Amino acid sequence: MQPTSAAPAARPANATLILLASLYCAQGLPSGLMAHSLPVLLRQHGVDLALIGLLKLLALPWLLKVLWAPWVDRLASPRLGHHRGWILPLQMGVIAVIASLALMDPERLFDSQFLLLIGLLLINLAASTQDIATDGLAVRLLPERWRGLGNSLQVGGYKIGMLVSGSGLLLAMDTFGWHLSLALVAVLLVLMTLPIWRFNERRELPFQPAQAEPAGPGLLLRHYRGLLLQPGMLFWLAVLLSFKLGDALGSPMIKPMLVDQGWSNAELGQLTLISSLAGIAGAFLGGLLYARIGALRALLLFGLLQACGIAAMAVLVNAGGSIGLVYLVALFEQTADGMSTVALFAVMMRQCRPEHEGADFTLQASVQLLLAGLVGATSGWLAEQLGFANLFISAGVMGLLALPIVLLYFWRAARPVSRVA
């Protein structure tokens, strides 16, 4: 755990906040395109459902990036800067691919599909690698007290980017067509590149080679072994693996439950949009509160709200006709989810070692997402066995059981300090 300074750190400069918001929004733009817009457009052009489902495999670089993350921490352009040397060329590569897709005829692109699949794979590969460098830069730029706010920008910026290129792009297609709509996404990415283009990383955050390790054979093993051998890491992994499990178990079944109660696609789309905005607001609120109440109380309070939010979904079973009640519970659940995510990501940053920030954060995120994904995959089967109400209550209980683990981790982390005193 990093030492805390005697004086509270000043809030990061506005230029720093704009820089981070632009980088995470830039990551959300291609993600929204692939997750929300393209499946609709492909189906409208008669593409087989099985192939549309297989598009998820193109996101494998986001899961596998942990394998090359240590090299992103080690290797970069001496002229552009350590993290900036990765971010700039990768973001320009994403812009080039999207601009190329905008120039192609959509009929031929969707009929042949080969060029589209190659383009999407390149986008995922570039964006996932850029995410390693962006997270490393964020850890270095943000003092401990303000990492909650920084992660608000991460969660909020990413979700805004996804909304713009997801719902926004589908709306724009009807008015502007394929070429101009995709070109607008590329233009937005260019605008999001300007802050990192102007950022002088070599002056602001000079590389510290004494704290790094050689990028030779065995770097992957040395890097992660060093992280896992840090004091208290075993207890932190227990927090990391348990904190979002309740949410991962319950949230995939919210929309299927409402579908069973007769909600239409349009009604679900409106609910998703409004609840997503509530999640963004929750992320920003969580970041501001994190700076005031600290890591322990933020994890406990936001974790409690998260558990209550997912358990409250049980109230909606057989109550889908009550529109106001559905919106009330859904907005509360999404707000709590945004707050808890920000707190977890902020404490993840505390575990990152100097000059190891990108890979250390990546490993923690990958571990947490992998287990959450496996648990989420069982949610449908459990809903069939237990019923929706029991599933949501069980998910809430699982969320509550994570809170004593949080207390144990902080108690163990504070023990050496009390002995010195």
Side-chain angles (χ1 to χ4, degrees):
M1 188 178 299
Q2 297 177 356
T4 55
S5 58
R11 186 179 73 85
N14 289 336
T16 298
L17 301 180
I18 292 172
L19 169 64
L20 294 176
S22 67
L23 289 175
Y24 286 116
C25 186
Q27 289 181 8
L29 285 170
S31 296
L33 170 67
M34 289 182 286
H36 300 302
S37 297
L38 277 177
V40 174
L41 298 172
L42 286 167
R43 190 56 182 165
Q44 288 175 349
H45 284 80
V47 175
D48 186 68
L49 287 174
L51 179 61
I52 295 175
L54 288 176
L55 289 179
K56 294 290 185 182
L57 292 177
L58 297 178
L60 273 178
W62 288 92
L63 180 61
L64 299 178
K65 66 179 180 175
V66 69
L67 299 177
W68 60 83
W71 280 271
V72 176
D73 274 342
R74 286 298 148 268
L75 306 174
S77 164
R79 184 173 64 87
L80 293 176
H82 196 64
H83 300 91
R84 185 170 172 265
W86 286 95
I87 296 170
L88 269 179
L90 289 170
Q91 193 150 306
M92 295 303 292
V94 172
I95 293 170
V97 173
I98 292 179
S100 299
L101 293 177
L103 294 173
M104 296 181 185
D105 178 59
E107 298 293 339
R108 292 182 57 190
L109 189 63
F110 292 142
D111 286 342
S112 65
Q113 298 157 13
F114 177 75
L115 287 177
L116 177 64
L117 295 178
I118 294 296
L120 296 180
L121 180 60
L122 290 174
I123 289 174
N124 275 308
L125 185 60
S128 63
T129 305
Q130 176 194 335
D131 183 57
I132 300 167
T134 299
D135 288 336
L137 179 63
V139 174
R140 295 198 65 193
L141 280 172
L142 295 168
E144 158 63 21
R145 183 187 178 198
W146 295 102
R147 283 175 176 166
L149 178 60
N151 281 287
S152 298
L153 298 175
Q154 176 181 0
V155 175
Y158 188 84
K159 286 189 175 184
I160 289 172
M162 287 197 72
L163 283 174
V164 169
S165 60
S167 303
L169 185 63
L170 289 175
L171 292 173
M173 284 285 179
D174 290 339
T175 304
F176 302 115
W178 167 265
H179 302 290
L180 184 54
S181 298
L182 224 57
L184 288 173
V185 174
V187 169
L188 286 174
L189 279 169
V190 171
L191 295 177
M192 296 298 103
T193 307
L194 294 179
I196 188 66
W197 182 273
R198 294 173 55 85
F199 178 61
N200 190 338
E201 185 182 3
R202 293 178 62 192
R203 185 188 67 222
E204 301 285 342
L205 296 173
F207 182 58
Q208 304 170 46
Q211 295 180 313
E213 53 191 317
L219 173 62
L220 183 70
L221 180 61
R222 290 197 311 272
H223 193 112
Y224 291 133
R225 184 174 181 269
L227 173 64
L228 295 175
L229 289 178
Q230 293 294 301
M233 186 53 65
L234 181 63
F235 288 93
W236 171 243
L237 285 176
V239 174
L240 197 62
L241 293 172
S242 63
F243 190 71
K244 299 290 289 184
L245 281 189
D247 179 70
L249 178 63
S251 58
M253 289 297 105
I254 296 173
K255 288 187 177 65
M257 175 189 68
L258 293 175
V259 169
D260 286 357
Q261 297 183 47
W263 279 57
S264 67
N265 288 340
E267 291 170 329
L268 287 172
Q270 181 176 316
L271 176 65
T272 300
L273 174 61
I274 296 175
S275 60
S276 295
L277 294 175
I280 294 171
F284 283 104
L285 176 61
L288 293 174
L289 288 175
Y290 183 95
R292 290 184 173 272
I293 66 179
L296 172 59
R297 283 182 285 183
L299 282 176
L300 291 176
L301 175 59
F302 302 164
L304 175 63
L305 293 176
Q306 173 185 253
C308 293
I310 200 66
M313 287 293 166
V315 176
L316 301 184
V317 177
N318 300 321
S322 179
I323 307 298
L325 181 61
V326 171
Y327 269 87
L328 178 65
V329 175
L331 294 182
F332 175 77
E333 189 273 333
Q334 277 296 294
T335 302
D337 178 63
M339 297 171 74
S340 62
T341 301
V342 160
L344 182 66
F345 284 3
V347 184
M348 283 165 56
M349 286 184 169
R350 298 176 63 176
Q351 318 305 318
C352 298
R353 298 162 294 162
E355 300 305 340
H356 299 71
E357 294 92 351
D360 283 0
F361 192 90
T362 295
L363 178 64
Q364 295 177 76
S366 297
V367 167
Q368 187 263 323
L369 287 174
L370 179 60
L371 184 60
L374 292 174
V375 170
T378 69
S379 60
W381 179 81
L382 286 173
E384 290 180 345
Q385 304 302 313
L386 303 175
F388 285 123
N390 289 330
L391 174 76
F392 292 130
I393 293 172
S394 299
V397 171
M398 188 178 291
L400 292 176
L401 292 177
L403 302 185
I405 303 175
V406 172
L407 279 171
L408 178 61
Y409 164 71
F410 278 90
W411 175 72
R412 295 274 304 187
R415 283 174 62 188
V417 176
S418 62
R419 284 174 185 162
V420 171

